[in-house]
Amino acid sequence: MKTDIVLSGVGGQGILTIAAIISWAAVRNNMNVKQSEVHGMSQRGGSVYSHLRLSTEPISSDLIPYGGADLILSVEPMESLRYLPFLSKEGWLVTNIKPVKNIPDYPPEEDLIKAIEQLPHHVYLDADKLARDIQATKSANIIMLGAASPFLGLKYEDLEWAIEKQFKSKGQDIVDINKKALKLGFDEAKRLFPDMA
Amino acid sequence: MPVLPLLGDEAIAQGALDAGLSGMYAYPGTPSTEIMEYIQRSPLAAQRNVHREWSSNEKTAVESALGMSYAGRRAMAAMKHVGLNVAADPFINSAITGVIGGMVVVSADDPSMHSSQNEQDSRFYGKFAMVPMFEPSTQQEAYDMARYAFGLSERVGLPVLLRMVTRLAHSRAAVKTVDTPGEENKMHLPSDPMRFVLLPVNARKRYKVLIGTQSHLVEEAEKSPFNKYIDGEDKSMGIIASGVAYNYLMENFPGQKVPYPVVKIGQYPLPVDMIRRLFDEVDKVLVLEEGYPFIEDQLTGLLTAGKVIGRYTGNVPRTGELDPTIVGEVLGLEPKKAFEVPADVVKGRPPQLCPGCGHIDVYMGLNKVMEKYGPGHVFSDIGCYTLGALPPYNAINTCVDMGASITMAKGAADAGVRPAVAVIGDSTFTHSGMTGLLDAVIENTPITVIISDNSLVAMTGGQESHAKDRLVEICKGLGVHPDHIRTIVPLPKSRDRIAQMIQEEIDYDGVSVIIASRPCVTHTISLKRKQRAKQQTNK
Ligand SMILES: Cc1ncc(C[n+]2csc(CCOP(=O)(O)OP(=O)(O)O)c2C)c(N)n1
Ligand code: SF4
């Protein structure tokens, strides 16, 4: 069993937190994990991505080959499309639709949605709005994790356990709000895209 | 056997600690920064009081490591690849003196220049210095090699180079570590201190010793656990793969054996017999290596082209990082790409200065003044403020190597450029700007130096800066006239005053320094947190 994931977003949007939570959950299931991160220059408001590989078999490469990813999980719509060559034919693209417009030539949002809808398997939602609704503006990333949770090959309760582990040091309130965010993302994705796995 | 989820960098750090490290020396630089940061967080390092403060630059780091080794204890110095240029002098010469306590120099290369000004390959330095060298392909190997390297260093009496690359440095995986960390060496002075006195009479002797050791280093490589001959059925080709390139090769044969014979390289100098065996068995040899064609270079030389293919022959791209997709193409395997990037809607998103950053106020003020002189007068340096080269600022005209702003401004001023302005960060200034400023002071060269001081090293994620609160004193000490050392807090409301100050100092026919100080808005809090945590572990 293997799941190859490309995480993407803009520096500061918390994709490494998502990666850490998925990794904990995978390790709990005795899976091998390799997670390549981006540090340095691009973290400053530029495009960032992480390759996260989970497998019951040994993993050779830290990077996913083109056409190999089972999932692109993105916290920003334009960034979700940047890594499409990595997505496998059967793979899913799950993305937040709220744009980060820190460049002058940011494309019209309708065009982004059109490009996303052309993919055979996609889920998109406004995680920033949902996060505001539950007063958890910092948890848009966890909402996206919830939306992508059916595609990870991991049990939902293992993700909850991993959230507990990730946020425990910040107090029970933070753990609870993130569990709520996870659930909200999962429910909302199901509601909007009932055909998803 | 504890299993830890470690970045490649962290695996090196843990390996060094488990080898009984006594001193860690480093200057930050992507992708090597996390080695020192891990040791600074490590309870074991705190308990043993392992030296773990940042150095002013890479040269001081390697020299300090050599000093610790001189005193019999194990030391490591870590830097990014271009840092080894700065430290090349002590690094090369430490191979002549030799070492007492194990000494490992980590140099982290950045193929594809994710955060660097070039993609130079540190392995050439290892060969140049004639020292043993390791190149891990996995996090586990990074850990194992770091531990092993200290023993080898002491066995052969030489510093050892550990070459990292960005992908491994910044990728996390489970690493099996030892139950009980090794003991530290006891401090003792060298029995033959004369070998550290590189007067020609001694250096000639030591150089012969170094040359004499070379065949032994090859023997070490032949029997190294990190070099392997893996047989394969198909002898039409053989493959030599080193470091992470080996992973990309394996990725293309999931769950199967590679059909060709493979030599996996992890330790240098190259194991000659192993490679000769491969040559004798196959029709041609493909070299897969991350970085420059270093192995290929040694196999083909100038005249024996033909049997070896790789980056020189164009079979593998000449520049840039490898990945499993590229290696698959090189092997002629079926591409699996299913989707293209919709280029019409996916635009570039370059990094930017954070909103509220003090560098912005400096540049806004500077641009007001420089408008009338036209472009070409502002020499800058490496740090967050290098982003001032991009729109909307377009404020600087150079960024070459750390410290080069002041010295290039001086050279341009010597050539007659007026005004000549240098913009440099606080950490870059103490790294290697101070000596250049002294040059300008000696001649009273008309340059205006702006130190954009955010009181930490921001570019690499927020480390302590050695400049902290010392800039005025340093400039005075170097001999800048106190009337021409000006200070200001860069804020949106002070941009006009910055402009005025710059204009006044440009009009002065001599060296002036403007110090614009305001803490980095992004990293100050997390640095304070790190410092507090360190104080806690030290208690
Ligand atoms: C020789 C060398 N060492 C290290 C680096 C990595 N590096 C780039 S900029 C920088 C420091 C920048 O600090 P500072 O000058 O204070 O500017 P800031 O980023 O804080 O604005 C470092 C360590 C490098 N490029 N070259
Ligand atoms: S990290 Fe600090 S110094 Fe760098 S751009 Fe952001 S605020 Fe400025």
Side-chain angles (χ1 to χ4, degrees):
Chain A
M1 223 286 290
K2 69 119 195 159
T3 310
D4 282 335
I5 308 164
V6 176
L7 298 160
S8 64
V10 175
Q13 281 193 309
I15 65 166
L16 293 186
T17 308
I18 303 180
I21 293 168
I22 298 175
S23 298
W24 282 121
V27 168
R28 190 184 198 205
N29 286 289
N30 292 317
M31 294 177 87
N32 296 303
V33 176
K34 277 203 177 182
Q35 183 217 330
S36 111
E37 314 181 347
V38 173
H39 294 203
M41 195 101 186
S42 43
Q43 279 180 307
R44 217 151 310 321
S47 311
V48 289
Y49 65 94
S50 164
H51 285 197
L52 179 54
R53 315 193 71 186
L54 324 174
S55 179
T56 47
E57 304 300 314
I59 303 165
S60 300
S61 163
D62 300 88
L63 295 174
I64 299 168
Y66 276 1
D70 305 286
L71 170 69
I72 290 178
L73 169 47
S74 183
V75 247
E76 208 276 348
M78 186 173 83
E79 296 308 320
S80 76
L81 297 168
R82 194 182 298 281
Y83 306 98
L84 275 185
F86 289 99
L87 193 62
S88 84
K89 234 187 320 191
E90 300 306 316
W92 282 79
L93 181 138
V94 179
T95 185
N96 183 8
I97 205 65
K98 174 78 186 170
V100 176
K101 297 187 184 175
N102 62 353
I103 49 169
D105 54 348
Y106 197 90
E109 286 162 60
E110 315 82 73
D111 294 358
L112 288 173
I113 293 188
K114 247 186 253 154
I116 292 165
E117 285 182 336
Q118 269 170 25
L119 297 166
H121 306 298
H122 61 265
V123 170
Y124 60 84
L125 43 83
D126 187 341
D128 286 61
K129 181 181 172 304
L130 293 170
R132 274 197 308 279
D133 290 348
I134 58 165
Q135 273 111 47
T137 47
K138 284 193 181 145
S139 298
N141 56 345
I142 306 301
I143 289 179
M144 289 318 304
L145 175 61
S149 58
F151 310 113
L152 301 172
L154 295 167
K155 290 199 290 288
Y156 188 85
E157 71 243 29
D158 286 335
L159 290 174
E160 284 192 312
W161 174 87
I163 283 185
E164 187 107 25
K165 198 157 169 71
Q166 177 73 18
F167 294 109
K168 204 169 46 196
S169 65
K170 297 190 173 163
Q172 193 57 39
D173 288 0
I174 302 290
V175 170
D176 290 342
I177 193 78
N178 280 297
K179 280 191 186 167
K180 195 168 162 186
L182 187 78
K183 183 79 173 46
L184 183 62
F186 176 73
D187 289 345
E188 189 67 8
K190 268 233 139 107
R191 188 178 72 75
L192 293 170
F193 297 86
D195 296 341
M196 71 188 230
Chain B
M1 203 181 248
V3 178
L4 305 172
L6 299 178
L7 294 177
D9 274 351
E10 297 173 343
I12 291 177
Q14 186 65 48
L17 287 170
D18 286 346
L21 183 78
S22 297
M24 177 71 207
Y25 297 89
Y27 182 73
T30 315
S32 69
T33 312
E34 293 78 5
I35 302 172
M36 173 64 100
E37 291 191 319
Y38 183 87
I39 289 181
Q40 290 183 336
R41 288 196 305 272
S42 155
L44 176 63
Q47 180 203 325
R48 291 183 166 185
N49 199 20
V50 172
H51 178 276
R52 54 195 187 287
E53 296 295 333
W54 293 106
S55 301
S56 284
N57 64 37
E58 294 84 354
K59 180 174 183 286
T60 67
V62 171
E63 288 158 351
S64 303
L66 183 61
M68 184 157 283
S69 160
Y70 171 100
R73 310 190 83 178
R74 292 187 165 183
M76 184 149 91
M79 62 213 65
K80 71 180 292 165
H81 58 342
V82 289
L84 193 50
N85 298 335
V86 177
D89 205 357
F91 176 66
I92 304 283
N93 285 310
S94 65
I96 310 286
T97 61
V99 304
I100 311 276
M103 171 165 145
V104 176
V105 174
V106 185
S107 181
D109 293 354
D110 190 16
S112 279
M113 310 180 217
H114 298 279
S115 303
S116 308
Q117 66 269 48
N118 72 29
E119 57 175 29
Q120 68 184 60
D121 189 324
S122 298
R123 292 177 299 172
F124 284 90
Y125 271 115
K127 186 166 187 318
F128 189 28
M130 292 182 264
V131 299
M133 184 161 54
F134 290 94
E135 186 186 9
S137 59
T138 62
Q139 292 78 357
Q140 185 68 52
E141 271 192 352
Y143 173 82
D144 294 339
M145 285 176 176
R147 279 185 63 222
Y148 187 88
F150 283 98
L152 177 67
S153 171
E154 286 172 8
R155 236 179 12 256
V156 300
L158 288 173
V160 170
L161 183 68
L162 189 91
R163 183 230 188 182
M164 274 304 258
V165 294
T166 304
R167 285 303 163 186
L168 185 56
H170 290 165
S171 176
R172 195 179 294 281
V175 174
K176 291 197 193 85
T177 61
V178 294
D179 292 312
T180 326
E183 289 302 318
E184 291 177 76
N185 290 352
K186 297 247 170 350
M187 195 269 276
H188 61 84
L189 288 171
S191 52
D192 59 340
M194 283 314 277
R195 62 187 257 197
F196 288 93
V197 185
L198 291 184
L199 279 167
V201 56
N202 295 336
R204 283 185 206 115
K205 278 189 221 140
R206 291 298 310 169
Y207 183 49
K208 287 210 173 118
V209 172
L210 176 61
I211 300 289
T213 316
Q214 295 304 302
S215 59
H216 177 56
L217 300 185
V218 176
E219 279 163 35
E220 286 278 353
E222 298 284 2
K223 60 173 209 269
S224 161
F226 305 111
N227 293 336
K228 270 196 287 248
Y229 191 102
I230 309 155
D231 212 354
E233 305 280 293
D234 186 347
K235 312 282 187 194
S236 65
M237 187 168 76
I239 301 176
I240 300 176
S242 72
V244 293
Y246 176 77
N247 306 343
Y248 302 149
L249 172 65
M250 299 312 283
E251 182 68 30
N252 278 285
F253 299 96
Q256 333 156 28
K257 253 190 87 156
V258 178
Y260 311 103
V262 176
V263 170
K264 176 186 185 296
I265 300 290
Q267 181 175 338
Y268 301 81
L270 287 170
V272 186
D273 288 347
M274 212 181 270
I275 289 177
R276 194 168 286 134
R277 178 180 159 200
L278 185 78
F279 259 64
D280 291 344
E281 287 190 6
V282 301
D283 299 338
K284 63 177 179 215
V285 174
L286 168 68
V287 184
L288 295 173
E289 52 189 326
E290 190 67 290
Y292 288 8
F294 172 76
I295 298 175
E296 195 184 344
D297 197 63
Q298 293 181 61
L299 299 186
T300 58
L302 265 182
L303 302 176
T304 54
K307 193 164 173 175
V308 178
I309 56 174
R311 290 199 189 252
Y312 276 135
T313 55
N315 297 69
V316 181
R318 182 66 177 83
T319 63
E321 201 180 17
L322 298 177
D323 62 33
T325 311
I326 294 174
V327 170
E329 275 167 23
V330 170
L331 294 166
L333 303 175
E334 186 78 25
K336 296 213 190 64
K337 182 157 80 171
F339 304 99
E340 297 293 336
V341 179
D344 50 327
V345 291
V346 178
K347 311 289 178 189
R349 196 193 298 264
Q352 320 184 338
L353 291 170
C354 307
C357 172
H359 296 321
I360 295 176
D361 304 310
V362 169
Y363 283 136
M364 290 307 190
L366 177 63
N367 280 353
K368 279 182 210 211
V369 180
M370 299 314 291
E371 212 171 288
K372 60 175 164 298
Y373 302 108
H377 293 266
V378 183
F379 302 85
S380 192
D381 231 300
I382 310 193
C384 281
Y385 53 93
T386 311
L387 296 170
L390 305 179
Y393 315 104
N394 305 311
I396 61 173
N397 307 111
T398 70
C399 158
V400 180
D401 66 79
M402 289 188 72
S405 57
I406 297 178
T407 32
M408 282 181 74
K410 177 178 185 300
D414 293 343
V417 174
R418 300 284 184 284
V421 178
V423 180
I424 188 169
D426 51 318
S427 179
T428 304
F429 180 70
T430 49
H431 176 284
S432 48
M434 300 188 300
T435 42
L437 183 58
L438 182 60
D439 283 352
V441 166
I442 299 295
E443 297 179 46
N444 202 24
T445 317
I447 60 169
T448 306
V449 177
I450 302 170
I451 305 178
S452 196
D453 167 27
N454 53 15
S455 62
L456 47 73
V457 195
M459 184 78 250
T460 45
Q463 294 78 28
E464 283 138 346
S465 162
H466 283 187
K468 200 158 181 30
D469 303 328
R470 296 185 188 97
L471 288 170
V472 172
E473 292 308 314
I474 290 172
C475 293
K476 270 193 207 156
L478 288 171
V480 181
H481 195 288
D483 290 349
H484 296 283
I485 302 172
R486 315 276 302 266
T487 58
I488 189 155
V489 178
L491 286 164
K493 65 176 185 205
S494 54
R495 289 173 186 176
D496 283 335
R497 274 205 298 135
I498 295 172
Q500 192 192 344
M501 207 178 253
I502 294 172
Q503 186 66 63
E504 285 164 14
E505 296 309 325
I506 281 178
D507 292 343
Y508 164 64
D509 190 33
V511 182
S512 23
V513 180
I514 297 169
I515 302 165
S517 306
R518 177 157 69 83
C520 165
V521 295
T522 299
H523 292 301
T524 300
I525 292 172
S526 67
L527 177 59
K528 291 230 165 91
R529 204 180 300 135
K530 274 189 247 172
Q531 286 165 331
R532 265 202 308 276
K534 199 162 100 193
Q535 277 165 3
Q536 289 290 324
T537 41
N538 283 352
K539 266 179 205 157

